[in-house]
Every structure is written in structure tokens, then in C-alpha cells.
């Protein structure tokens, strides 16, 4: 019988971290982060990492495991996270996956061929060189459109990191990223039950805007300045400093835009990202949704979520007997 993992997902600002910390003890669970930016050290404020109190309350894994100048692939995440998961399970504890990076959830849910092919450093260097040349972003996107028009249609030419990755997948596997999608649907070594947190769009956007203001008060500008002082720069192919909240502050510090405009762009980018997350998880048929508006209080919603998880675990155990 495959181990059962519980996954708590949802868009940014939906309250995943606080909810997870509150329910994990009752589940005898440790938290494994599924956030593609919280893996980076020195990026605490802009990625909304759990507070010191939250980290002390429940063991967390897959946070602060990489340097900001690393390009941490989905395959690298999968390999490291599975080691952590197996170690947690070996101690008789449960695993609560928490985060909003859909690709990380897929990587832990399915036997993936997508992204498992080893990266070709020569190929990547060649694609990066094209990206950095005049008109390079458009050229890369046109290259992708020839071999994988479906994926190219979904990616903006400025999304260089994902365009490069899609080209790498085609070159190293001989299959387009879109062609490999169905191959990802065979369940992997774990049985993952997925639960989502949601709230009305306007409430979510208000919460996101307030959180950005709080990040600014907490010292986001100083955090970005410290990263720049270490020589960590935004790169066309992606990486930590291309994250929402970091690239905008970099532009402001360099005088390319005002700080007020940077804050507006962070809020706008965060809202758009939340919408994409919402769409991603809504298309996952496994997800059981918990909408805060359907309960009299946050505590009531957490109690309902916990009860559902516990019942699902009992049903799984009974089915195995």
C-alpha cells in the first residue's frame, strides 16, 4: 500500500501557512513546503516564509535549501523532497504538503517523464546566449512555436526561463512538453489527497494588497539591497531575483521606476499570479475545496478541513484492510 500524503494548496494569500501550522499537530504531521521561492536562503520577506514561531511550532522541510543564484529545477525539488518525505514517514509521522507551486505538487504526485531528462549545460548555454542577444526573446519563442506550438501559445516571449525549459525538454527527450502531459498521470510512489483553500476574488486581492504593504514595512527593500550587494542579479533565464517582489524593487533601486510604481507592479503581479494558481488547482479533479465564506469563522473552516482529512485517512486505511 502506498503512503498517503495530504496536500494543502491554493492561491497566494489564501491562508495556507497559518492553516497548516494549526492543523498539523492534530494530524501528527510535518510540513513539506511546495513553494518554488521559499527554497532560497536570504529571501524571507518577499516570499512570505513562515515566521520563526510557525517554524518552531511544526517541523518544516524544503525551506532555505538553495542559494538565490542557483537555478533549482523541478526534478531537483522532486528528488530532494522525496528523500525528506521518506525520512518523515520512516519516523511514523505524516506528511502535509503545503504550497502554491502546482508543478511541485505534480512532481510528487506522478511518475514524471517531464523534466526528468538531464539538463544539457551546452544546450542551456546556447539558448541563454540567444536570449541575451538583440531580439533573442522573440527568436527563442519562435523556435519553440516550431516544435511545440501548444506550449508556445501558453507562454509569453518574455517568460524566457520557461521557454528555454520547454526547448530543453524537446531537445533532450525528442518530445514536446505538451505531448508529455499525459505521461505524467501515472501515480507515483505516494497517494496524494489534495485540499484547497479559497476565498472570493475581491477578498483575495485585498489580502494580497495588504500583504505587499506589510512586506514593504517589514523591510523588503533592504532584503533586495542585501541580495544585490552579494552580486545576485536578475537573469533573463529566470532564478530567484526574477520572482515577483524582487525584480520590481531592483528596478526601483536602479532608478528605472519609482518605488511607488514598484509597489503597484508587485501587487498587480501577485494578483495575476494568484489567478493563475487558482486556475491551475481548479483543473485538478482531486482537489476538495474549502471556501472561507461558507463557514462562520476561520476556526470553523479549519475544523471542517481537519475533520475531512482525518476521515479520508480513516477511509484509506479501512480500504487497505
Amino acid at each position: 500500500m502506498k503512503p498517503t500524503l495530504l496536500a494543502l494548496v491554493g492561491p497566494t494569500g489564501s491562508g495556507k501557512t497559518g492553516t497548516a501550522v494549526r492543523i498539523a499537530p492534530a494530524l501528527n504531521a510535518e510540513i513539506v513546503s511546495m513553494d518554488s521561492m521559499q527554497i532560497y536562503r536570504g529571501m524571507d520577506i518577499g516570499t512570505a516564509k513562515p515566521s520563526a514561531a510557525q517554524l518552531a511550532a511544526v517541523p518544516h522541510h524544503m525551506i532555505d535549501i538553495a542559494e538565490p543564484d542557483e537555478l533549482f529545477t523541478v526534478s531537483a525539488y522532486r528528488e530532494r523532497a522525496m528523500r525528506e518525505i521518506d525520512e518523515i514517514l520512516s519516523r511514523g509521522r505524516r506528511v502535509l504538503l503545503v504550497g502554491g507551486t502546482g508543478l511541485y505538487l505534480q512532481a510528487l504526485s506522478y511518475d514524471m517523464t517531464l523534466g526528468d531528462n538531464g539538463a544539457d549545460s551546452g544546450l542551456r548555454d546556447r539558448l541563454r546566449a540567444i536570449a541575451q542577444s538583440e531580439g533573442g526573446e522573440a527568436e527563442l519563442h519562435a523556435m519553440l512555436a516550431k516544435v511545440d506550438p501548444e506550449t508556445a501559445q501558453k507562454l509569453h516571449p518574455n517568460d524566457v526561463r520557461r521557454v528555454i525549459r520547454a526547448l530543453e525538454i524537446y531537445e533532450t527527450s525528442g518530445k514536446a512538453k505538451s505531448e508529455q502531459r499525459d505521461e505524467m498521470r501515472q501515480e507515483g510512489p505516494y497517494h496524494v489527497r489534495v485540499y484547497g483553500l479559497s476565498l472570493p476574488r475581491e477578498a483575495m486581492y485585498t489580502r494580497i494588497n495588504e500583504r505587499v504593504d506589510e512586506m514593504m514595512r517589514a523591510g523588503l527593500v533592504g532584503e533586495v539591497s542585501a541580495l544585490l550587494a552579494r552580486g545576485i542579479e536578475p537573469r533573463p533565464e529566470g532564478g530567484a531575483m526574477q520572482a515577483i517582489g524582487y525584480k520590481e524593487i531592483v528596478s526601483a533601486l536602479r532608478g528605472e521606476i519609482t518605488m511607488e510604481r514598484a509597489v503597484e507592479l508587485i501587487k498587480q503581479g501577485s494578483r495575476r499570479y494568484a489567478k493563475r494558481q487558482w486556475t491551475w488547482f481548479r483543473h485538478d479533479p482531486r482537489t476538495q475545496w474549502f471556501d472561507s465564506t461558507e463557514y462562520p469563522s476561520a476556526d470553523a473552516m479549519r475544523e471542517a478541513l481537519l475533520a475531512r482529512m482525518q476521515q479520508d485517512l480513516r477511509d484509506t486505511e479501512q480500504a487497505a484492510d
Side-chain angles (χ1 to χ4, degrees), residues 29-256:
E30 298 184 16
I31 293 172
V32 174
S33 171
M34 296 190 299
D35 188 297
S36 62
M37 289 294 116
Q38 291 184 2
I39 62 173
Y40 294 113
R41 303 183 188 98
M43 300 179 66
D44 303 336
I45 299 171
T47 64
K49 282 180 186 170
S51 67
Q54 289 171 327
L55 291 171
V58 178
H60 284 66
H61 305 264
M62 300 303 291
I63 292 177
D64 290 339
I65 61 170
E67 293 299 329
D69 55 354
E70 294 182 49
L71 285 175
F72 202 80
T73 67
V74 175
S75 293
Y77 171 85
R78 183 176 191 263
E79 181 180 352
R80 175 76 176 266
M82 287 176 69
R83 290 202 303 267
E84 297 284 346
I85 289 167
D86 291 343
E87 194 276 331
I88 295 167
L89 294 173
S90 73
R91 293 187 277 104
R93 303 272 282 170
R94 294 200 181 276
V95 173
L96 180 59
L97 306 171
V98 181
T101 302
L103 281 175
Y104 282 4
L105 176 62
Q106 278 194 335
L108 296 175
S109 298
Y110 305 112
D111 281 331
M112 297 175 64
T113 58
L114 178 60
D116 282 347
N117 303 291
D120 182 329
S121 59
L123 171 62
R124 180 168 292 179
D125 289 343
R126 177 168 61 84
L127 295 174
R128 287 176 180 173
I130 294 173
Q132 293 168 0
S133 65
E134 184 175 355
E137 294 179 355
E139 181 180 349
L140 279 180
H141 195 264
M143 290 168 58
L144 180 61
K146 289 181 180 179
V147 299
D148 188 356
E150 182 179 341
T151 299
Q153 188 176 16
K154 295 177 181 179
L155 297 177
H156 192 280
N158 293 342
D159 195 352
V160 176
R161 179 174 65 85
R162 288 186 172 86
V163 171
I164 286 178
R165 186 64 190 127
L167 285 167
E168 285 183 320
I169 289 169
Y170 177 78
E171 292 291 341
T172 57
S173 71
K175 291 184 178 181
K177 178 180 177 181
S178 56
E179 291 178 319
Q180 295 190 14
R181 186 168 49 234
D182 291 340
E183 298 177 19
M184 297 165 57
R185 294 301 174 184
Q186 183 174 344
E187 188 176 68
Y190 315 114
H191 177 58
V192 183
R193 286 189 172 269
V194 185
Y195 309 83
L197 298 184
S198 68
L199 62 164
R201 180 172 297 182
E202 289 306 314
M204 180 172 66
Y205 287 173
T206 297
R207 186 178 293 185
I208 288 171
N209 292 340
E210 291 173 348
R211 187 160 75 166
V212 172
D213 289 336
E214 177 55 33
M215 287 177 178
M216 294 299 292
R217 290 191 292 269
L220 179 58
V221 174
E223 183 169 271
V224 175
S225 297
L227 291 166
L228 290 173
R230 291 169 52 190
I232 299 168
E233 301 273 346
R235 294 184 291 183
E237 68 272 19
M241 288 292 270
Q242 284 295 108
I244 299 169
Y246 290 86
K247 61 181 182 292
E248 296 87 355
I249 297 297
V250 169
S251 294
L253 290 172
R254 291 177 173 169
E256 298 167 358

